[in-house]
Amino acid sequence: DGNLKLTAYKDADGNYHSPTSVVTQNTMNFKYGYVEIRAKLPLQVGVWSSFWAKSVADKSDVKSVVSTDNHVVGEVDIFEVFDRNRVCGNIIKWDPNVLEGETTTWYPTAMNTAQCVVPPDDGLFHIYAYEWTPTEIKFYYDGVMYARFDITEPWLNPGEDGKGKEGYEYNIKDETGSDMSCYQDPQYLIFNNHLFYEDVSNANTHINISNPDFESADYLIDYCRVYQLEGQGEIYTK
């Protein structure tokens, strides 16, 4: 019916399935602008729907960005559904050696991590958006801003041991010394409709325990639109 439909489901044998991610990495990367989707989210316990972006060091980079050599990657989570009644936004940096065991870096202290909003569980479409400029990132739900992040200043260390919530480190500078430069690189968009279960996430509740009657969850996206100010930013397609 004109929507992108991402369906997670449990089959007749009791196995859980998450749909393939939809990404624009190999077709459209962009720098700065306002990105908006109109979507209907499956607000069910154990369902992990999301709308997010990751940076690439170069507009033509088609490698896995997490393993991009010697370059910190910026992640922008416009929202992730972590519970039945919450959508949460955040920005994260990936260390270039994260696949070798280095940690990710959350913005910038525990108090400012994962700012959330509670949309009504009304089964209707709502608008989720983010605005990215050279100085800040802002998240919106139905036109109301619910999270705002300064991307001009290095992140502050919240404690003497450099550790914050759940042991994540908050003040890892990349090897070039440009602590926030990853948020000036082109980004691509990602849409997921995952499920929480033990071999995918360390979430406190897993779909098979927290929602044993789960059958399926549809994440419907009516549209995705990218707007840019004249003279600011670029869109790269191929």
Side-chain angles (χ1 to χ4, degrees):
D1 298 321
N3 299 306
L4 169 63
K5 183 178 180 181
L6 302 176
T7 300
Y9 67 96
K10 181 169 65 174
D11 65 25
D13 296 324
N15 300 309
Y16 294 90
H17 302 270
S18 293
T20 300
S21 301
V22 174
V23 302
T24 71
Q25 181 181 7
N26 295 341
T27 55
M28 190 281 291
N29 300 314
F30 72 103
K31 185 173 182 177
Y32 307 139
Y34 173 83
V35 184
E36 176 179 282
I37 67 169
R38 182 174 182 267
K40 182 189 295 185
L41 304 183
L43 298 176
Q44 296 188 46
V45 173
V47 179
W48 189 9
S49 308
S50 60
F51 167 34
W52 54 303
K54 268 194 170 180
S55 65
V56 287
D58 181 81
K59 64 184 179 183
S60 61
D61 187 351
V62 295
K63 297 187 299 179
S64 171
V65 291
V66 172
S67 61
T68 299
D69 295 335
N70 299 319
H71 193 85
V72 169
V73 170
E75 176 179 330
V76 179
D77 299 317
I78 300 90
F79 71 75
E80 296 181 78
V81 178
F82 285 121
D83 203 340
R84 182 175 176 81
N85 66 345
R86 293 186 308 156
V87 297
C88 298
N90 195 25
I91 67 174
I92 303 171
K93 290 192 304 179
W94 290 84
D95 185 274
N97 299 310
V98 68
L99 296 183
E100 283 71 51
E102 294 292 333
T103 187
T104 55
T105 311
W106 294 68
Y107 180 100
T109 68
M111 290 182 62
N112 289 330
T113 296
Q115 298 185 42
C116 301
V117 66
V118 180
D121 190 8
D122 54 13
L124 301 177
F125 283 86
H126 292 276
I127 294 176
Y128 303 87
Y130 99 105
E131 183 179 0
W132 172 29
T133 74
T135 60
E136 64 183 355
I137 291 173
K138 298 187 287 188
F139 300 154
Y140 297 87
Y141 164 73
D142 279 349
V144 178
M145 185 179 70
Y146 68 91
R148 184 174 187 169
F149 301 100
D150 183 343
I151 57 172
T152 64
E153 297 294 332
W155 303 346
L156 301 177
N157 187 327
E160 293 182 359
D161 61 356
K163 301 290 183 177
K165 183 179 179 182
E166 299 177 357
Y168 289 106
E169 296 184 8
Y170 289 89
N171 196 30
I172 301 177
K173 285 184 178 290
D174 64 54
E175 293 180 358
T176 67
S178 52
D179 194 43
M180 303 295 280
S181 64
C182 56
Y183 294 108
Q184 308 301 329
D185 292 331
Q187 296 178 354
Y188 66 93
L189 301 174
I190 311 166
F191 302 93
N192 298 125
N193 194 25
H194 292 323
L195 300 172
F196 277 130
Y197 47 164
E198 291 186 30
D199 60 345
V200 171
S201 171
N202 62 353
N204 293 326
T205 57
H206 305 300
I207 186 72
N208 59 326
I209 298 172
S210 61
N211 193 355
D213 297 326
F214 173 85
E215 295 182 358
S216 66
D218 293 333
Y219 177 11
L220 300 177
I221 301 172
D222 177 23
Y223 64 73
C224 176
R225 297 171 180 166
V226 179
Y227 301 86
Q228 291 185 311
L229 292 172
E230 185 174 356
Q232 185 182 92
E234 296 180 75
I235 294 179
Y236 315 95
T237 60
K238 61 180 178 178

